[in-house]
Amino acid sequence: MPETYDVIVIGAGPAGENVAPRAIAGGLSVLVVEAELAGGECSYWACMPSKGLLRPGEVLAAARRVPGADAAVAGEIDVEKVFERRDALAGDFDDSGQVDWIRDTGADFARGHGRLAGERRVEVTDVDGATTTFEARKGVVIATGTGAAVPPVPGLRDIAVWDNREATTAKDVPRRLLILGGGVVGVEMAQAWKSLGSEQVTIVEMEDRLLPREEPFVGEDLADAFAHMGIAVHTGVAMAEVARDGADGPVTGTLADGTTIVADEIVVAAGRRPHTRDIGLDTIGLEPGGYLEVDDQMRVTAVEAGWLYAVGDVNGRALLTHAGKYQARIAGDHLAGKDVAGWGDTRATPRVIFTDPQVAAVGLTEAEARERGIDVRTVRWKTGAVAGGATLGKGIKGTSQWVVDADRRVLVGATFVGPGVGEMLHAATVAIAGEVPLDTLWHAIPAFPTLSEIWLRFLEEYGL
């Protein structure tokens, strides 16, 4: 007979591991299964190590904007120390602490590749090839995340490339770096490696601007900052062909307009694909390879019996660590019998791109709001054009914008571009999630002199 738990979670990334404490608090038994490192992509190959690479350049840029402090900035970044700090932020790629945390919640942990084996059944294959079958009394949660997608560029699959994992864990600074994709991974890695000493960094983005899912001015502000750093940006053009000279020689990328770019390494940052090809979906009549659509309780809609859940990137709702953890709490509570529904990850999802300037946004862009039929009114202000901007130093650049539902007089979207604006974002998240009326926000007094005074400028521009 298979060993039985109330809940089995396949995947111990930030989403998967956070299902356990909520379900256990409701009196359920939980098994968490992970084939790689507990803690997942974010802990070891994305969020944490990338910030370790980005932070030194951000600190130096901040100091150079302050008269007096700029004279004290001398010498070069100690790259080896940066790598040490990056590795420390990634737990030195040792997940024993994460496994202990999972077990401390009261869950059991199994190391191995988990696959569905029919309704409510999971097979776990360990590193030695031995397979154990488990059965879930209440439900199975898929939390297997995503991996880097490789676009159909001729030659790209035939050569060695960097995806986010290689880009965040490399041990040497490439002299020339070509980045395919101007989304979050692309822009963060471009700035990180340029600040660490790459002589030539080039981004190729087939859309007409960097970060094409954000407001148009975001791409413009970031492109301007990159130009000052010496990062080359090609937008509105596709990569036509890629070739490498030998196994580890230079890479040559040819653009659709005939431009050629030679680099030592190429980063593929052109989107993500869900890890659902080898998790046994076919054993329950589902097609492998795609995102798992879920309802607001995080149950997979294609499974009528309601026992299969999917949280985190694998469901495609919001490919962000904090959104996945939010979904995990919803799923864990629902499995435990609570009447809950998730909407924060679709109405008020915050997102931060840790470039300099930072990009912080929440809720809808102006275009998304108009597509939904909202009577939109926008208010825009230069981020540095408040007293708090002056205190941060000279040349504080960036644009910020509110997107307002004029009929209901509530905020539905906000975007900030500027140094450290990620720390301003939660106020906007609360305002959107709580549907706080503008007339009430007028009584929320921003402290002087901080960047948060931009909230007062927004309200004044709106006419309050």
Side-chain angles (χ1 to χ4, degrees):
M1 292 289 292
E3 190 172 348
T4 303
Y5 290 85
D6 292 317
V7 178
I8 300 173
V9 183
I10 303 177
E17 66 183 2
N18 274 280
V19 173
R22 306 295 283 214
I24 289 167
L28 304 182
S29 60
V30 179
L31 173 68
V32 180
V33 181
E34 176 57 58
E36 293 191 293
L37 296 177
E41 201 79 9
C42 182
S43 297
Y44 307 102
W45 304 289
C47 315
M48 297 306 291
S50 67
K51 306 312 166 280
L53 295 176
L54 284 159
R55 181 60 175 159
E58 180 186 28
V59 171
L60 286 178
R64 287 169 178 150
R65 286 191 285 262
V66 181
D70 58 345
V73 178
E76 303 293 331
I77 289 176
D78 187 333
V79 175
E80 290 306 313
K81 289 292 186 183
V82 173
F83 288 166
E84 289 178 14
R85 175 61 177 162
R86 172 202 61 191
D87 293 350
L89 287 172
D92 290 314
F93 306 96
D94 177 356
D95 72 344
S96 55
Q98 294 271 19
V99 173
D100 287 344
W101 180 86
I102 291 170
R103 288 175 171 151
D104 285 346
T105 69
D108 286 344
F109 179 81
R111 181 85 67 187
H113 184 84
R115 298 179 183 85
L116 292 168
E119 183 172 338
R120 291 187 173 85
R121 287 195 168 216
V122 174
E123 290 181 348
V124 179
T125 304
D126 65 22
V127 293
D128 297 321
T131 298
T132 305
T133 300
F134 299 91
E135 188 167 340
R137 285 184 288 265
K138 292 189 69 69
V140 175
V141 183
I142 304 297
T144 47
T146 60
V150 180
V153 176
L156 194 60
R157 291 185 178 274
D158 302 325
I159 65 171
V161 301
W162 284 6
D163 61 15
N164 66 286
R165 291 193 171 195
E166 288 80 14
T168 55
T169 60
K171 299 295 185 182
D172 297 294
V173 178
R175 187 171 69 86
R176 300 168 299 180
L177 188 63
L178 171 58
I179 299 176
L180 182 56
V184 177
V185 174
V187 297
E188 287 192 348
M189 290 298 93
Q191 195 165 64
W193 288 108
K194 182 65 175 176
S195 70
L196 292 174
S198 288
E199 297 174 16
Q200 174 188 308
V201 176
T202 305
I203 298 177
V204 176
E205 168 56 55
M206 67 184 300
E207 299 291 336
D208 63 359
R209 63 182 187 271
L210 297 174
L211 298 175
R213 295 186 178 182
E214 300 298 342
E215 300 283 7
F217 65 79
V218 170
E220 296 167 7
D221 286 351
L222 203 54
D224 181 64
F226 280 7
H228 281 85
M229 282 192 72
I231 296 172
V233 176
H234 297 264
T235 55
V237 62
M239 184 72 73
E241 185 180 8
V242 175
R244 187 185 281 275
D245 184 8
D248 57 2
V251 175
T252 300
T254 303
L255 307 188
D257 62 8
T259 302
T260 59
I261 303 164
V262 179
D264 299 298
E265 299 292 349
I266 179 170
V267 177
V268 178
R272 308 290 291 177
R273 57 176 179 78
H275 284 315
T276 58
R277 290 194 179 278
D278 189 22
I279 59 170
L281 292 179
D282 54 308
T283 69
I284 58 170
L286 300 185
E287 184 72 25
Y291 287 100
L292 294 171
E293 183 179 340
V294 297
D295 61 18
D296 288 339
Q297 286 73 39
M298 307 305 147
R299 293 173 296 187
V300 176
T301 56
V303 178
E304 294 183 1
W307 59 270
L308 186 64
Y309 293 68
V311 298
D313 286 9
V314 76
N315 67 30
R317 279 171 66 116
L319 275 65
L320 296 158
T321 295
H322 42 278
K325 293 165 77 170
Y326 166 79
Q327 294 167 8
R329 295 191 291 271
I330 296 293
D333 283 352
H334 192 260
L335 281 159
K338 293 185 178 180
D339 182 13
V340 292
W343 50 265
D345 58 336
T346 56
R347 184 192 302 174
T349 305
R351 49 206 184 268
V352 181
I353 297 94
F354 290 83
T355 46
D356 181 46
Q358 281 186 6
V359 178
V362 59
L364 304 176
T365 64
E366 179 181 355
E368 289 169 340
R370 294 191 187 281
E371 287 171 4
R372 297 191 184 193
I374 296 172
D375 181 12
V376 172
R377 184 175 171 190
T378 61
V379 184
R380 191 176 295 183
W381 196 262
K382 287 298 180 184
T383 308
V386 293
T391 67
L392 291 179
K394 293 184 175 181
I396 303 300
K397 297 181 178 180
T399 308
S400 294
Q401 178 176 281
W402 265 8
V403 179
V404 178
D405 181 332
D407 291 335
R408 296 189 298 136
R409 292 174 65 84
V410 296
L411 195 64
V412 295
T415 299
F416 306 89
V417 181
V421 292
E423 298 301 333
M424 292 174 56
L425 190 60
H426 196 57
T429 305
V430 171
I432 294 171
E435 298 183 325
V436 181
L438 297 187
D439 295 288
T440 301
L441 284 178
W442 189 85
H443 295 281
I445 307 167
F448 179 89
T450 68
L451 280 183
S452 294
E453 257 202 313
I454 199 170
W455 285 79
L456 178 57
R457 300 287 87 85
F458 280 149
L459 288 163
E460 290 173 341
E461 283 291 298
Y462 197 84
L464 294 175

